[in-house]
Amino acid sequence: MTQPEPSPLAQPLTLPCGAILKNRIAKSAMSDSLGDGRGYPTDAQIRLYERWASGGLALSIIGEVQGTPDFAEKPGNLVLRSDLDADRFAALAEKGARNDAHLWLQLGHAGAMADPLISAPKGPSVLDLPGLSCGALTLAEVQALPAEFAQTAETVQKMGFGGVEIHAAHGFLLNQFLSPLFNKRTDAYGGSLANRMRLVLEVVAAVRKAVGSRFPVGIKLNATDQLEGGFQQDEALAVIEALDGTGIDLIDISGGTYFPGAVASSDQAGSGPYFLNFAERARSRTTKPLMVTGGFKTQQQAEDAIAEGKADIVGLARALVLDPDLPQKWQSGQANNPQFPRFDNPPEGGVTAWFTMQITQIANAGTDLNTADLAHAIQTYEDRDQQRRAIWNTHFPRAQ
């Protein structure tokens, strides 16, 4: 009897640094909001990443881990300072890497998008828009950022995590520098694309120098901000070409922004991956492995992306919230595709809140939410943030 061909998703992937990912499925970075409000992992967060590791994925990335408490996206973010008590982080690193999984931390800085209730947001330039206002970083503050990212990466490495991903997407600080919509600077970090990408390249170089040549370093980059006047595809391709000459191991392609009122890629209609066409264009600009994140809903979509050479690894987010065992199922050929919920006229941010609370259900081995739970999920999500903001502002008085 002829054995079926192994799934393309089951192939290992060797990164330029020499690290090996056991297959082609990653859990892309999401803000799981499970930090304790003091920047530490909770027991629930540790259980969550152990659960995802047991489902058979090759790589998990924890979203928006801060180097300082000053520009956090949410009060559930982790804060990885060099002077912290490392025990809880060590437990997270160990349990999230079970079953030969890699667990990376995404190095974040929300900049203009920092939660104003726990910080004083600053971006490349002053903004005063409905729903979004911020001050501007001084030149000295900008020049200090590469060392800050590098120190955080070094701490990640010392605590036993498998790698880092530099966050330069979704409207957070490094993406803000790339975007002409956010970046109106007139110094060496603004104006031309070469100047706007300067900080990104300096951060990449500093992080690589800090962790050495054998530790995985990835970067998440927008294909487009999906905003008029923002960071566009041709500019993104030029940045990818520049990254080809750096020590980056993996370029994670995504898109969209959390700019108030902007349409999230994940909330748009459509049944297929969002950024594969862009990834195909990027192939001619880089030899680096490409991860494509966003919109994968079926095994066939994921397998085709790998088999056709458009992606080297697929990034799943909401699909793994619906079924943490999906990597195991897809690699074994079960084609057990998750059933994505449909919501009628959800409020802005409501679907994200529902999925975030479903993540909490996974962490606590609870029953799955259904669409009727949307209003309760939103309220619980908001209440939890409020509770953790109070803890944050007591624990990190400098961030107020």
Side-chain angles (χ1 to χ4, degrees):
M1 183 176 178
T2 304
Q3 293 295 318
E5 288 290 322
S7 169
L9 299 171
Q11 301 169 359
L13 175 64
T14 302
L15 301 178
C17 68
I20 299 173
L21 303 178
K22 68 178 183 178
N23 60 53
R24 303 302 180 97
I25 301 175
K27 196 285 294 179
S28 58
M30 292 181 281
S31 187
D32 58 57
S33 274
L34 283 175
D36 66 358
R38 301 176 304 129
Y40 286 93
T42 56
D43 289 341
Q45 192 171 35
I46 294 169
R47 289 193 300 268
L48 172 68
Y49 284 90
E50 183 177 17
R51 176 68 184 87
W52 270 325
S54 73
L57 49 69
L59 169 65
S60 273
I61 306 173
I62 300 180
E64 270 294 293
V65 177
Q66 309 295 314
T68 77
D70 301 324
F71 297 98
E73 169 233 1
K74 293 185 71 64
N77 288 165
L78 301 181
V79 182
L80 199 60
R81 299 189 297 181
S82 58
D83 61 345
L84 51 74
D85 178 355
D87 288 349
R88 295 201 66 75
F89 284 96
L92 177 60
E94 189 272 320
K95 293 190 177 181
R98 291 186 173 178
N99 197 25
D100 296 323
H102 274 235
L103 182 61
W104 295 7
L105 301 190
Q106 184 186 65
L107 307 184
H109 187 306
M113 297 287 190
D115 184 338
L117 298 179
I118 59 173
S119 67
K122 286 186 181 182
S125 306
V126 173
L127 291 176
D128 188 10
L129 301 169
L132 181 64
S133 61
C134 72
L137 293 164
T138 66
L139 180 59
E141 288 173 325
V142 174
Q143 292 172 332
L145 286 167
E148 179 185 307
F149 275 89
Q151 183 179 49
T152 309
E154 193 172 9
T155 304
V156 170
Q157 184 182 36
K158 288 178 178 176
M159 289 186 176
F161 290 94
V164 294
E165 180 180 79
I166 297 164
H167 196 359
H170 296 170
F172 294 105
L173 183 71
L174 296 181
N175 181 213
Q176 291 162 27
F177 269 87
L178 291 171
S179 171
L181 196 62
F182 283 89
N183 187 347
K184 306 295 185 183
R185 298 181 74 94
T186 57
D187 58 18
Y189 293 92
S192 68
L193 179 59
N195 282 357
R196 285 184 277 122
M197 74 167 80
R198 186 184 307 277
L199 180 59
V200 172
L201 298 179
E202 288 179 350
V203 168
V204 169
V207 167
R208 174 52 74 198
K209 183 177 179 181
V211 299
S213 62
R214 307 299 290 174
F215 190 69
V217 178
I219 187 167
K220 191 166 196 173
L221 185 73
N222 269 8
T224 170
D225 293 346
Q226 297 175 335
L227 290 171
E228 186 176 349
F231 187 57
Q232 302 299 326
Q233 288 198 16
D234 287 345
E235 292 185 318
L237 289 170
V239 174
I240 286 173
E241 189 168 340
L243 288 168
D244 192 59
T246 70
I248 281 293
D249 290 300
L250 185 67
I251 299 174
D252 180 3
I253 295 169
S254 188
T257 176
Y258 293 109
F259 190 92
V263 177
S265 300
S266 54
D267 289 341
Q268 295 185 59
S271 58
Y274 311 131
F275 305 112
L276 276 179
N277 290 338
F278 175 84
E280 191 171 17
R281 294 179 68 195
R283 277 291 182 207
S284 65
R285 305 294 187 101
T286 185
T287 60
K288 302 291 186 181
L290 298 178
M291 174 171 156
V292 181
T293 293
F296 289 98
K297 294 179 170 65
T298 70
Q299 177 184 340
Q300 192 66 56
Q301 290 168 348
E303 289 187 335
D304 287 349
I306 301 300
E308 294 169 6
K310 295 178 180 178
D312 296 294
I313 185 167
V314 297
L316 306 180
R318 292 180 174 181
L320 288 176
V321 178
L322 298 173
D323 187 352
D325 292 319
L326 210 55
Q328 215 166 43
K329 293 174 180 177
W330 281 3
Q331 289 176 84
S332 66
Q334 293 185 39
N336 191 353
N337 298 321
Q339 298 300 307
F340 282 76
R342 293 180 178 274
F343 300 95
D344 293 327
N345 300 314
E348 182 176 343
V351 177
T352 295
W354 187 93
F355 274 93
T356 304
M357 297 316 300
Q358 174 59 25
I359 287 173
T360 304
Q361 294 298 102
I362 296 171
N364 294 326
T367 57
D368 289 343
L369 300 180
N370 58 53
T371 54
D373 295 319
L374 178 62
H376 182 261
I378 293 171
Q379 189 62 56
T380 304
Y381 174 81
E382 291 175 350
D383 289 347
R384 185 173 67 180
D385 270 0
Q386 285 297 99
Q387 293 164 5
R388 287 183 175 161
R389 283 190 184 102
I391 296 169
W392 187 285
N393 286 327
T394 299
H395 191 69
F396 297 121
R398 291 176 299 169
Q400 297 184 56

